[in-house]
Amino acid sequence: MNRIQEKLKEDKKLLSIYFTAGYPNLDDTVKIIQELENNGVDMIEIGLPFSDPLADGPTIQDSSTKALKNGMTTEVLFNQLRNIRETVNIPLIIMGYFNPMLQYGVEDFCKKCQDIGIDGLIIPDLPVDVYHEEYKAIFDSYGLINVFLITPQTSDERIKYIDSVSDGFIYMVSSASTTGAKSGFGEEQSEYFKRINDLNLKNPQIVGFGISNNSTFKVATTYAKGAIIGSAFVKHVTNEGIETIPNFVNSILK
């Protein structure tokens, strides 16, 4: 069983953290992953920076720009993660856009992920239909779970289709906007969380976009299995440095 599937079976609300590989410094990637696991994070999304990020808000865009300037590439990331499974046990997911994967070669990319011990991919600009028809067999053969995003605007019919071709969790985007920390969730979001819960999907949902503190984490996980924090974490690392990661994680899980 894939590590993601094992983690989803645990009887707890899950905290997943996103960060941009190669940021703040090129060689911080492994250090950040180890610190996050050591402080109780359940899953990690490793952002592969791209020059034209469609779904990212300013904080993550800025971190991607800096990471690219630092020299981060697909090959550099794979080299950094080469021995990651010697020290890290929790699920690791690479989140990035399809273009760099296409340039690398989809099958070569998937094989490299399997060799390293990556458990899944999140590719916001790969349509589920294209994935299902052209790439699912490749992903499956290398033991990789592909995670799809839904938004408040996604129809129930589409959500059920995504659920039918998914084998891990569904990334439930909290609002129709780019990434970024919000101060809280309104009634509209709470109704959306409940609507998805009432669909009784086979895959659990993890909420992302707009989660920045303990209170938004709790609201997001009222109906969902877990929550993902990205921009707030990247901002914290930018302002406070990676040595204060324990403080950040503790403030979410307190």
Side-chain angles (χ1 to χ4, degrees):
M1 188 182 285
N2 184 293
R3 288 182 196 89
I4 295 170
Q5 293 164 329
E6 287 179 357
K7 179 59 72 173
L8 291 167
K9 286 182 183 299
E10 292 184 12
D11 185 22
K12 61 179 291 200
K13 299 296 187 180
L14 304 181
L15 172 61
S16 182
I17 296 280
Y18 167 96
F19 77 98
T20 305
Y23 179 85
N25 301 301
L26 184 62
D27 295 328
D28 285 338
T29 309
V30 170
K31 211 180 307 177
I32 289 174
I33 293 170
Q34 291 168 339
E35 277 290 294
L36 289 172
E37 179 176 46
N38 291 341
N39 287 281
V41 170
D42 296 293
M43 275 194 287
I44 299 173
E45 293 172 19
I46 304 160
L48 179 59
F50 181 53
S51 54
D52 190 19
L54 304 172
D56 298 329
T59 300
I60 290 175
Q61 276 193 30
D62 290 347
S63 69
S64 290
T65 301
K66 178 83 191 306
L68 291 169
K69 283 181 181 165
N70 288 344
M72 180 50 69
T73 65
T74 305
E75 197 59 59
V76 168
L77 178 59
F78 284 150
N79 284 333
Q80 288 182 347
L81 299 177
R82 197 170 57 242
N83 302 313
I84 194 68
R85 286 303 173 194
E86 292 175 9
T87 56
V88 172
N89 296 309
I90 60 174
L92 298 176
I93 299 169
I94 290 180
M95 183 169 186
Y97 294 91
F98 196 48
N99 190 289
M101 298 175 195
L102 209 51
Q103 287 181 341
Y104 197 89
V106 175
E107 185 150 5
D108 289 342
F109 190 94
C110 290
K111 184 180 187 314
K112 201 77 174 176
C113 285
Q114 183 188 52
D115 292 346
I116 287 164
I118 298 298
D119 303 290
L121 298 172
I122 301 173
I123 312 165
D125 59 339
L126 176 61
V128 61
D129 324 66
V130 176
Y131 163 76
H132 190 232
E133 289 161 23
E134 297 181 31
Y135 300 109
K136 188 176 191 304
I138 297 173
F139 279 54
D140 288 350
S141 69
Y142 291 101
L144 291 169
I145 284 175
N146 197 25
V147 177
F148 293 99
L149 285 72
I150 62 170
T151 74
Q153 282 66 44
T154 310
S155 69
D156 288 1
E157 184 186 14
R158 185 76 172 168
I159 290 167
K160 286 173 181 171
Y161 174 61
I162 286 170
D163 187 47
S164 73
V165 301
S166 297
D167 301 302
F169 66 90
I170 291 172
Y171 189 131
M172 191 158 72
V173 177
S174 65
S175 61
S177 66
T178 56
T179 57
K182 314 278 190 298
S183 57
F185 292 124
E187 196 177 321
E188 192 181 333
Q189 265 110 3
S190 296
E191 284 172 8
Y192 160 59
F193 297 158
K194 185 176 185 311
R195 172 172 76 88
I196 303 305
N197 182 66
D198 289 347
L199 290 175
N200 292 314
L201 304 174
K202 73 179 173 84
N203 292 279
Q205 302 87 56
I206 297 186
V207 179
F209 290 45
I211 295 138
S212 59
N213 52 33
N214 178 261
S215 61
T216 44
F217 178 76
K218 281 181 175 164
V219 173
T221 56
T222 303
Y223 295 108
K225 176 65 179 172
I228 300 156
I229 298 181
S231 295
F233 177 72
V234 171
K235 202 173 281 184
H236 178 88
V237 165
T238 303
N239 296 333
E240 310 292 336
I242 64 173
E243 61 279 356
T244 66
I245 286 174
N247 302 348
F248 181 85
V249 178
N250 290 340
S251 75
I252 305 298
L253 297 175
K254 65 187 177 187

